[in-house]
C-alpha cells in the first residue's frame, strides 16, 4: 500500500462494523481491510489537522473525470445534503479518503469504475447543522 492511513479508534471501529455488515463490495472490503491492518491508530487529540476525518471539509480532485469537489463529512446520523456538499462519514468518498492526508493521490475502485483521486485540502468543519 502506498500510504498508511491514520484513524482514531472510533473511525476504525466504525469501518470494521461497516465491513462486518458487508456493506461494501468484496474488492473495497479487501482494500479497507488492508488499510486497517496498516493503519496508525491515534487519539482524537493527536489526529493531525490535515487528515480526513469526521467534521472535516475535504477538497478532492478526481483526475479520471477532471473534476474537483468539496465534501463535508458528518456523522452518519445527519441527513446527507449533496447540494450543500454534506455527506455521511459512511459515504463512498468518505470511506475512500478517511485517514488520508492532504497531498495523497491514489486509485480506488468506485462502483462506476476505478478513479484516480487526490486530496487537495482538509479543513476543520465545526458547523454540522
Amino acid at each position: 500500500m502506498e500510504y498508511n492511513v491514520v484513524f482514531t479508534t472510533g473511525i476504525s471501529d466504525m469501518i470494521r462494523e461497516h465491513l462486518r455488515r458487508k456493506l461494501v463490495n468484496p474488492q473495497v472490503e479487501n482494500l479497507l481491510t488492508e488499510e486497517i491492518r496498516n493503519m496508525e491508530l491515534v487519539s482524537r487529540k493527536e489526529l493531525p489537522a490535515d487528515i480526513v476525518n469526521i467534521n472535516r471539509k475535504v477538497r478532492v480532485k478526481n483526475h479520471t473525470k477532471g473534476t474537483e469537489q468539496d465534501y463535508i463529512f458528518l456523522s452518519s446520523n445527519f441527513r446527507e445534503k449533496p447540494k450543500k456538499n454534506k455527506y455521511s462519514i459512511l459515504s463512498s468518498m468518505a470511506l475512500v479518503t478517511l485517514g488520508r492526508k492532504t497531498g495523497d493521490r491514489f486509485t480506488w475502485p468506485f462502483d462506476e469504475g476505478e478513479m484516480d483521486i487526490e486530496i487537495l485540502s482538509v479543513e476543520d468543519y465545526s458547523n454540522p447543522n
Side-chain angles (χ1 to χ4, degrees), residues 37-122:
R37 277 193 209 122
N38 293 310
M39 73 180 165
E40 178 183 348
L41 197 60
V42 299
S43 71
R44 192 152 180 142
K45 286 187 227 176
E46 297 171 326
L47 188 69
D50 68 341
I51 299 291
V52 177
N53 198 28
I54 195 166
N55 295 332
R56 300 274 167 97
K57 181 179 178 184
V58 183
R59 183 138 188 99
V60 173
K61 180 165 187 168
N62 183 327
H63 290 276
T64 304
K65 292 182 175 181
T67 59
E68 289 184 16
Q69 183 173 344
D70 290 327
Y71 295 86
I72 299 167
F73 298 130
L74 303 171
S75 164
S76 57
N77 296 332
F78 285 93
R79 201 175 101 229
E80 289 194 356
K81 298 177 184 174
K83 289 182 180 179
K84 293 185 176 187
N85 298 325
K86 294 181 179 182
Y87 296 88
S88 163
I89 196 68
L90 295 174
S91 68
S92 294
M93 187 57 75
L95 288 173
V96 168
T97 57
L98 271 172
R100 297 179 189 271
K101 66 183 180 310
T102 301
D104 283 355
R105 185 172 174 176
F106 51 95
T107 42
W108 194 265
F110 288 89
D111 289 341
E112 61 268 23
E114 195 167 272
M115 304 280 179
D116 179 8
I117 301 296
E118 181 179 4
I119 299 172
L120 299 177
S121 65
V122 179

